[in-house]
Amino acid sequence: MLECQNLSHSFYNEHVEIPILQELQFQFQEGQSYAITGTSGSGKSTLLNIISGMLKPSKGQVICDNKNLYELSDEELSNWRLHQTGYIYQDFRLLPRLTAEENVAFPLQLAGEKLSIALQKANAILDELGLESRKKHYPSKLSGGEQQRVALGRAFAKEKQYIFADEPTGNLDATTAKKIIETLFSLTKKNKTTLVLVTHDLTIASLAQNKISMHQGVLV
Amino acid sequence: MNTSALIKYFFKTKKISFILIWLTIVISSASFYTMNGFVETLKHRLYHSARNLSSGDIKISSTQNFNKEQLEKINHALQNKYLTSDMLIFPTMAQRDQGDAFLCSIKAVDTQYPFYGTAILQDQLFKPLQANECYIAKEIANRFNIQPGDFLKIGSQSLQVKGVIIELPDQGISNSSAFNPIVLIRIEEANASGLLQFGSRVSYMKLYKGNHPNLTQEQIEKDAENLESKFNTDGIQVSTWKDSQNISRTLFGRLSSYFNLLTYTSVILASIGFYLGLSAFVLKIHSDSAILYGLGISKAILAKSLYQLFFFIITSGALIGLVIGLTGETYIVSQLDSLVVTVKQNKWHWQLILFTLIFCFASGGIIVRMIINTWLKNLNPLQYQMAFSPNYFSIKGMVFYLLFVLGLLLVFSVLQTGVWAPSFAINGAILLLLILLFAFTLSLLFILRLLNKPFLSSPIMYFANIEFFRNKRQHFPSLLGLILSSVLVLGIITSRDAIKQKLSLDKHSDTPNIFMVDIQKTQLNDIKDLIVKNPNTSNFNESPLIRARLTHINDTPLVTLKEKAKQNNDVRKLNFLNRTFNLTYKDNLNKSEKIVEGKFWQPSYDGPDISLEAEFAKSMGVTIGDLLGFDLAGIQIEGKVTSIRTINWGSLLPNFFVIFPEKKLENAPQFIIGSAHVNPTALSTFQNQLVVDYPNISVIDLTDIFKKVQFLFEKVLKVLVVSSALCIISSLVIMASTLLANQSDTTQRHYLLKSMSMNQNQIFLVDFLEKTFYFISLILATFCLHLVANYFLSQQIKEEINFDLYSFCWYCLTVLILVFAPLLLKLRKLNY
């Protein structure tokens, strides 16, 4: 379980405090899917970055398996993210000088797999995602949908407890977006992973088991 | 639309990029002008002044005075179409009343001198000397405090100094003030001085100036050829001013090719820096430009503002570069003034200034247009982030640009030198060098990648490996630039050390520091006594010296050898063939000589053997078993080369290129050359006394000569340092441009890796490993190419150049700091 306790976060602009999140309390249960919705500037992405271990909150705690994430050392926190979480970005964020299969294999290598095994697993998941003929291609040669599928493959290559997705279909057309979302949900269901998805698309949000609405940094 | 607001915006926000680009233009312009300006000066001195240098249309020279028969032949051949002037040149000791004796070069002339050009005196106009008068070189006046009005003793003559020479028209490239300062006297005084003895080192010359309205250059050449054919066996040399020009052309060509090499390297490095700087600039302005384009500012307006901005940058850079170039050229000329007699007037090479500006605009303008047009074509308002796009450097584009720059340099080289072949040759050589550098660096990277394979099990190593070896477009241009400038700088350092070594004297306390020349055989025992009895002198060594002319090598007569050397433009060999040889005879080698091939004869051997010095043998193309023929004042002698030896010239013992056995030449006409050690504090006294007692003997102060040579060498080195400094600045600009271009890419990579759960230390390690691969590639490539360059340099300067570990370690340390400093200074912490 992933729990937010009294979570607050602010940015500072020339000593003026701009509150983004205010005293949030929430629990994300294992194996469930969550959609965080809200208007622009409501703090959705900030919340996602905090609970995924990427951004330290100004106040409050994020507890996972009885550990406050932000009391862990950089190494321990990185380790947690490497082994427990996968992240899918709106702009894909693939490493430009690695091919599709290398992009998927790289986190596995970081987690301790041998290169050959990592590539084997990467190939398997890319086949599953319909990218057999595109494995050796660099991201610059892939379409948006293909890149996002590679990103999905990277996130799901290893069994993870949590998958965080920040507007994963934001840069895609409707047809491709639909396919991506279907793949995302089927993979999380198959792996019994907790999915936390940020979206402003209510249709996508409706696919999740749980909906969290945010407005001006507060859960509504 | 007013583009000035846009220009101000770009300039304000991307200042550093502009400064880097501007610097490359400045360096390009400065290098182009500095080196070519000096070459222009040399060209004017050597090339356009050939007739002045030759002292006449036809010059006939001999080591003996012309006899009646020879004079008749000359007169018959030239048929009164020419004005005649006589000249003698010989070294001797001179002395002011109550002053120190010094070695000088006497130039004895008649009232016709000079036929061409103008002699320049200090504070007065040149006019023919009257009886018992002389002019002295500026160095004599300054060094020995001799002023007009003072008297100078030369042999038995006492001559009043009437003026100080600033420049003589036939002085040539070498400023003989550097070694034997000139004293100009009349021929009558030379004849009366008692110094023109048999065997002394006098050059007798007859100079001819065409005096007939219908006399064409072709006729002059024919007359000279006709004369030469009459004097084949007399040891008389005939040359025209064209011959002088051809030799000058070869010398000029060789000198200018060295300078061109430095110019080209500097310009190429600056061009690489320009290309990288421009590409980095485009990366930097992409986001802003995409947004502006999206807001409604057209591509045409964007292009117009950028072209205006770059026009300003190129113009200002080129002009500032010209000012620096002029300063650089003035500095070089001032440094080499002692060696090269330079043209004092007309320092502004207007044509070269124009060429420099055209070069900057052409090379800068075309690449600005090319890169900006290509970039604008692909500009898309929706893709304002280039961060995840392929990086913008195109190696093909850079290759095209360098070829274009080389093409421009070729055109300017042809316009400057007036000849195609050497210009093509140097451009071809540079192109070949660049291709080899490309190929070598690529191969090295490939090999390094293979060697890395066993270490790829670590994901950090694996990723760093990929980031470096697949990212050629970013690393390759800067690697090339740095390798090129490193090899150049290291080459200058190691050849400097080799030449310094060559110029260093043996340091023993009784190493000879004077040579005494023109000692008559009858004077030898007295001189030996003098040395032994004088408490300030020691270590006297003597050798007989026999003046001879080469007549043939094997079956090939001298005339044919000279023709072949002329055809092959082998100036070194031609000089050897034209000169009078100094032979000696002995049956034992001295401690500075070592046989490297063949066998030296036993004492009392009287066979026709010859021992040759190794470098001389190589220049002449002669080896063991070859026959050499000589004319010794009319006596023909031939010998077979049976041994080749090396000489340690630094020992300062009398050494000779050609040695015969003692019994073979002991009765030939000769004089003695001796070396001795004189206590430096007693040297002036010893010299002065010798001049009085033995006025025919000249004393050469070797320490003084060596000091002068070292002094000149240091000046040449300063010139090389100036040009290599330009190369170093270019390579630093290249590094800075690459860093700038990579900055955002690196930052994005950090964030990507962080989001993929790498921790700070792992991310730092990736950067560190990438830099390490870069460092290793650079050091290895530089090391290999440095060894190759050393080999070629040693062939050029005829001196072994050893690898200098100390310099190389310092170089490695400098590069280490340059490569890793940005990483250590900018340890990024990512936000939590």
Side-chain angles (χ1 to χ4, degrees), chain B residues 94 96 102 104-106 120-122 129 133-152 154 159-168 177 181-185:
Chain B
R96 194 191 67 163
F102 57 89
C104 63
S105 185
I106 300 292
I120 303 170
L121 300 180
Q122 192 171 302
L129 287 160
E133 288 180 350
C134 67
Y135 294 129
I136 57 171
K138 199 167 68 164
E139 194 199 317
I140 297 173
N142 292 342
R143 204 170 160 196
F144 300 100
N145 197 22
I146 299 176
Q147 305 301 327
D150 291 341
F151 281 86
L152 208 59
I154 295 168
L159 308 175
Q160 191 181 37
V161 176
K162 290 309 264 185
V164 175
I165 303 166
I166 302 297
E167 188 181 304
L168 294 176
S177 296
I182 284 176
V183 175
L184 200 68
I185 68 174

Side-chain angles (χ1 to χ4, degrees), chain A residues 23-85:
Chain A
E23 302 283 327
L24 292 187
Q25 299 272 136
F26 200 80
Q27 285 176 1
F28 296 91
Q29 303 293 336
E30 274 180 35
Q32 298 277 305
S33 56
Y34 297 84
I36 305 175
T37 61
T39 53
S40 283
S42 58
K44 309 186 293 295
S45 295
T46 307
L47 176 60
L48 196 72
N49 288 336
I50 289 172
I51 62 174
S52 63
M54 303 273 274
L55 179 65
K56 187 174 178 181
S58 307
K59 280 186 203 159
Q61 301 171 91
V62 177
I63 307 292
C64 180
D65 298 336
N66 297 317
K67 277 184 272 189
N68 182 353
L69 288 185
Y70 293 102
E71 278 176 4
L72 299 175
S73 66
D74 174 58
E75 266 197 58
E76 286 168 335
L77 184 56
S78 298
N79 231 19
W80 176 79
R81 290 212 318 273
L82 179 63
H83 292 284
Q84 303 298 332
T85 73

Side-chain angles (χ1 to χ4, degrees), chain B residues 150-359:
Chain B
D150 291 341
F151 281 86
L152 208 59
K153 194 159 183 308
I154 295 168
S156 59
Q157 295 293 293
S158 182
L159 308 175
Q160 191 181 37
V161 176
K162 290 309 264 185
V164 175
I165 303 166
I166 302 297
E167 188 181 304
L168 294 176
D170 53 348
Q171 218 161 320
I173 181 172
S174 85
N175 186 346
S176 59
S177 296
F179 297 101
N180 278 3
I182 284 176
V183 175
L184 200 68
I185 68 174
R186 299 188 321 153
I187 287 202
E188 289 86 341
E189 271 78 54
N191 287 330
S193 66
L195 296 170
L196 304 179
Q197 298 176 23
F198 179 80
S200 3
R201 294 167 295 142
V202 182
S203 278
Y204 295 86
M205 277 178 262
K206 285 209 161 299
L207 308 165
Y208 295 92
K209 179 181 174 181
N211 193 34
H212 197 275
N214 296 333
L215 192 63
T216 61
Q217 185 55 37
E218 286 77 24
Q219 189 59 53
I220 292 173
E221 298 294 327
K222 270 194 189 149
D223 289 341
E225 267 173 40
N226 188 15
L227 265 176
E228 197 164 20
S229 62
K230 289 184 193 313
F231 294 121
N232 265 345
T233 55
D234 287 29
I236 289 173
Q237 287 158 43
V238 181
S239 61
T240 65
W241 71 271
K242 278 280 183 185
D243 294 326
S244 170
Q245 191 177 56
N246 286 338
I247 291 176
S248 300
R249 195 199 303 256
T250 309
L251 181 62
F252 164 69
R254 212 170 181 187
L255 272 172
S256 65
S257 65
Y258 285 127
F259 284 110
N260 277 344
L261 192 65
L262 289 170
T263 313
Y264 279 34
T265 309
S266 217
V267 170
I268 282 164
L269 283 170
S271 303
I272 293 174
F274 183 77
Y275 185 87
L276 286 176
L278 196 56
S279 303
F281 168 73
V282 159
L283 266 176
K284 289 278 179 195
I285 65 166
H286 179 83
S287 310
D288 295 0
S289 302
I291 293 166
L292 290 169
Y293 181 41
L295 289 174
I297 295 178
S298 68
K299 285 185 183 180
I301 298 289
L302 282 170
K304 190 177 170 191
S305 5
L306 288 170
Y307 291 147
Q308 282 174 351
L309 196 46
F310 278 104
F311 177 78
F312 167 74
I313 285 171
I314 291 171
T315 312
S316 61
L319 290 173
I320 301 285
L322 270 173
V323 170
I324 295 173
L326 184 63
T327 313
E329 193 229 344
T330 308
Y331 176 77
I332 288 172
V333 164
S334 71
Q335 290 304 306
L336 298 183
D337 205 22
S338 307
L339 178 66
V340 176
V341 178
T342 51
V343 176
K344 302 284 185 239
Q345 57 273 46
N346 188 24
K347 279 201 168 171
W348 294 93
H349 306 290
W350 293 107
Q351 193 185 33
L352 187 58
I353 289 174
L354 187 65
F355 281 179
T356 309
L357 288 171
I358 293 172
F359 174 78

Side-chain angles (χ1 to χ4, degrees), chain A residues 177-191:
Chain A
K178 191 177 169 213
K179 284 187 192 157
I180 293 295
I181 288 298
E182 279 168 7
T183 311
L184 177 61
F185 274 94
S186 82
L187 283 171
T188 49
K189 195 175 173 184
K190 180 179 156 193
N191 295 322

Side-chain angles (χ1 to χ4, degrees), chain B residues 582-597:
Chain B
N582 296 327
L583 311 182
T584 194
Y585 57 80
K586 59 185 179 182
D587 289 341
N588 295 293
L589 296 173
N590 63 42
K591 59 183 180 183
S592 68
E593 295 171 297
K594 189 174 119 182
I595 298 289
V596 292
E597 214 179 314

Side-chain angles (χ1 to χ4, degrees), chain A residues 53-56 74-75 77-78 81-82 89 93-95 97-98 102 106-107 109-110 115 138 154, chain B residues 390-391 456 459-460 462-463 466-467 470-471 745 752-761 831-832:
Chain A
M54 303 273 274
L55 179 65
K56 187 174 178 181
D74 174 58
E75 266 197 58
L77 184 56
S78 298
R81 290 212 318 273
L82 179 63
Y89 299 87
R93 298 209 186 168
L94 300 178
L95 289 163
R97 279 178 284 281
L98 298 182
E102 284 168 345
F106 190 55
Q109 283 180 273
L110 288 174
L115 177 62
Y138 290 98
R154 182 175 64 186
Chain B
N391 66 63
L456 296 183
I460 309 298
Y462 171 78
F463 184 68
I466 284 177
E467 283 294 287
R470 283 188 195 176
N471 199 4
D745 200 45
L752 275 176
L753 293 177
K754 193 72 188 172
S755 67
M756 289 177 69
S757 314
M758 281 177 90
N759 61 45
Q760 290 267 72
N761 291 338
N831 276 333
Y832 272 116

